[in-house]
Amino acid sequence: MDAQNRCVPRRQSLSLSPMDTDTKKNLIGLSRDELIAEMATIGEKPFRAKQLWHWLYNRGETDFAKMSSISKVMQARLAEQYVVLRPQLEREMISTDTTRKWLLKFDDGNEAETVYIPDEDETRGAVCISSQVGCTLTCKFCHTGTQLLVRNLTPAEIVGQFMVARDAYGEWPTPDDQARQLSNIVMMGMGEPLYNFDNVATALKIIMDGEGIAISKRRVTLSTSGVVPMMKRAGAEIGCNLAVSLHAVTDDVRDRIMPINKKYPLAELMRACAEYPGASNARRITFEYIMLKGVNDSAADARQLLRLLKGLPAKVNLIPFNPWPGSEFECSDMKAIRTFSDIIQDNGISAPIRKSRGADILAACGQLRSESQRQKCSRLSERLAAGIEDEHHKVPAE
Ligand code: SAH
Ligand code: SF4
């Protein structure tokens, strides 16, 4: 681990007693309509919900008493019944290349990761958000795939990840588009977003709402391993950019490294891409392609990829495999990656090689959470060895 990494066991300072969070409803994660309906239950008109929305999502305010355009009476009523909560910050790590990663803990003790990945010039960048704790799919190259699915994240937990990132960068009130460091969002953290469709859709609509967090749909990308029946809905109802984790160009190889291919083989996946609503030459579908030595990285693979992408508004993102302890693959040689990229680019499709970011802070998908689980297990063994395991020292539910 690099000396510049910081491990900050910081907690959200919202000065709430545990009683508050147990008995009061969190307002974060309600859609606009749900917030209007919620305010109606305490006798408040829709325009009050609009004011509240502004405070929650444009100003990032968590304290009702500071919501100055709201009357004192309503502030008190809100404080009696509601809270404005973020996920709890368990660990924060900053890489030497300024990639920043947060391990967040939710009410039930489950954890997920959120990462900020700055562009090369470090003035802007993308926040990578998780949609599930773990994943039901078991892609062989993915660290998250080694963790069983624990559960779907709620809209509050998905939006909350971005809000924690904004807190860390002080980007409240919502800066205008040009001034933002956290300029983009990618649903590429832990989990398969299209297996948690409703919650992801609600959360992204909150994030894209122009009167709140206001990240435009053109700056939001949802990545899927290829849940074919949900792709059309994603385009129609969320309308953000699509990224597809392709990673192989034959059903044989894809079946082996991404078992979801047995359910939705390549021909069906490519058809769903061709029908993705909103895709155009100006808004291309990104095909993610991990470079795995000797598995999917030959010149013949590159040519087959060109055949698959024929006629689609596509761009390719070549991702050097990020190894993790126990993984069965190696990253392709740089020469093979460059040759692959050249073959694609010579045919007019952009195929940049993704720069590996944050390698020194366990940036491979799912690794930080696994590390946290491992530490809990070793803490448990230490306690057991010391004979102090009892009701008050239980290892948290995994
Ligand atoms: N479940 C979704 C989104 C999360 S995975 C999906 O599969 O698209 C986000 C991206 O990280 C995917 O393209 C995935 O293939 C990639 N990824 C997973 N493990 C990786 C590793 N070890 N090295 C590089 N990229 C990885
Ligand atoms: Fe799940 Fe995506 Fe990882 Fe596959 S690559 S195991 S779908 S998170």
Side-chain angles (χ1 to χ4, degrees):
M1 196 107 334
D2 198 278
Q4 206 177 315
N5 286 336
R6 283 199 284 132
C7 174
V8 189
R10 216 170 64 191
R11 290 183 161 245
Q12 267 316 121
S13 53
L14 296 181
S15 58
L16 293 169
S17 71
M19 263 264 297
D20 280 344
T21 52
D22 286 350
T23 56
K24 297 181 184 180
K25 186 167 182 175
N26 185 12
L27 288 177
I28 297 296
L30 299 181
S31 69
R32 248 181 197 273
D33 287 347
E34 286 167 346
L35 190 63
I36 290 171
E38 190 61 47
M39 288 304 101
T41 67
I42 59 165
E44 295 293 349
K45 299 240 161 41
F47 85 94
R48 292 289 185 201
K50 193 176 155 78
Q51 283 180 322
L52 189 53
W53 185 272
H54 175 84
W55 283 107
L56 298 178
Y57 296 119
N58 177 284
R59 307 294 290 266
E61 187 54 69
T62 55
D63 182 352
F64 295 117
K66 293 190 183 146
M67 299 183 180
S68 54
S69 62
I70 290 175
S71 72
K72 291 268 180 256
V73 177
M74 182 173 165
Q75 285 177 7
R77 205 176 298 146
L78 288 170
E80 253 166 46
Q81 304 203 30
Y82 303 105
V83 284
V84 180
L85 283 183
R86 308 275 200 264
Q88 187 178 299
L89 191 46
E90 273 293 286
R91 283 174 85 189
E92 179 183 69
M93 301 177 91
I94 303 179
S95 162
T96 44
D97 66 16
T98 70
T99 298
R100 195 155 164 172
K101 188 159 187 165
W102 300 275
L103 181 69
L104 303 177
K105 194 174 196 169
F106 305 114
D107 283 354
D108 61 356
N110 273 308
E111 293 168 339
E113 306 167 353
T114 306
V115 188
Y116 172 63
I117 307 155
D119 290 347
E120 305 262 296
D121 68 3
E122 293 179 10
T123 56
R124 302 168 81 72
V127 180
C128 177
I129 290 181
S130 297
S131 56
Q132 299 180 310
V133 180
C135 188
T136 48
L137 299 171
T138 50
C139 305
K140 294 286 179 299
F141 47 80
C142 175
H143 202 264
T144 306
T146 64
Q147 308 168 13
L148 296 177
L149 176 78
V150 179
R151 67 172 174 82
N152 284 334
L153 293 179
T154 64
E157 291 163 342
I158 297 168
V159 179
Q161 292 174 61
F162 186 74
M163 299 181 92
V164 167
R166 260 210 181 155
D167 290 344
Y169 281 81
E171 294 205 331
W172 302 112
T174 296
D176 69 46
D177 190 44
Q178 294 315 311
R180 284 177 207 163
Q181 255 195 98
L182 312 186
S183 56
N184 291 59
I185 287 184
V186 288
M187 293 299 299
M188 290 185 187
M190 295 166 71
E192 169 47 59
L194 295 187
Y195 277 149
N196 184 17
F197 184 86
D198 291 339
N199 291 351
V200 167
T202 302
L204 289 182
K205 282 182 202 162
I206 293 171
I207 285 172
M208 297 184 308
D209 186 293
E211 290 176 18
I213 292 172
I215 306 277
S216 121
K217 65 179 184 181
R218 283 164 200 281
R219 293 191 175 277
V220 177
T221 301
L222 182 148
S223 175
T224 180
S225 56
V227 185
V228 166
M230 301 305 290
M231 285 167 61
K232 204 170 194 164
R233 259 189 90 190
E237 293 179 31
I238 305 173
C240 60
N241 303 321
L242 181 70
V244 173
S245 292
L246 193 64
H247 306 324
V249 291
T250 63
D251 282 321
D252 258 9
V253 176
R254 202 164 188 269
D255 280 354
R256 187 157 69 81
I257 64 174
M258 298 184 73
I260 192 173
N261 195 69
K262 293 182 192 147
K263 205 165 178 188
Y264 308 116
L266 276 172
E268 285 182 36
L269 176 58
M270 300 320 286
R271 202 174 314 125
C273 290
E275 291 167 2
Y276 185 72
S280 67
N281 283 340
R283 288 186 77 198
R284 292 168 187 272
I285 297 174
T286 303
F287 290 88
E288 295 159 277
Y289 199 92
I290 294 193
M291 300 302 295
L292 303 169
K293 190 177 196 163
V295 176
N296 64 356
D297 62 349
S298 69
D301 289 320
R303 285 191 291 272
Q304 178 59 19
L305 179 54
L306 285 170
R307 269 177 230 121
L308 280 180
L309 300 182
K310 206 165 177 9
L312 282 177
K315 56 185 175 186
V316 174
N317 214 336
L318 297 177
I319 310 172
F321 170 62
N322 195 347
W324 36 272
S327 59
E328 60 183 276
F329 301 106
E330 272 179 70
C331 183
S332 309
D333 301 329
M334 210 48 208
K335 190 163 171 277
I337 303 181
R338 286 213 190 91
T339 305
F340 198 104
S341 171
D342 289 346
I343 294 172
I344 307 294
Q345 309 223 81
D346 287 349
N347 283 274
I349 296 178
S350 126
I353 302 164
R354 190 189 284 172
K355 209 172 153 234
S356 187
R357 309 298 306 260
D360 53 335
I361 55 167
L362 304 171
C365 174
Q367 255 186 279
L368 188 59
R369 173 171 178 263
S370 285
E371 174 71 2
S372 160
Q373 310 278 76
R374 198 185 57 70
Q375 283 175 0
K376 276 174 197 157
C377 289
S378 69
R379 280 202 299 272
L380 174 63
S381 341
E382 279 161 24
R383 282 190 218 121
L384 287 170
I388 56 168
E389 177 62 9
D390 59 31
E391 271 306 294
H392 303 290
H393 294 86
K394 269 204 171 137
V395 75
E398 307 297 356

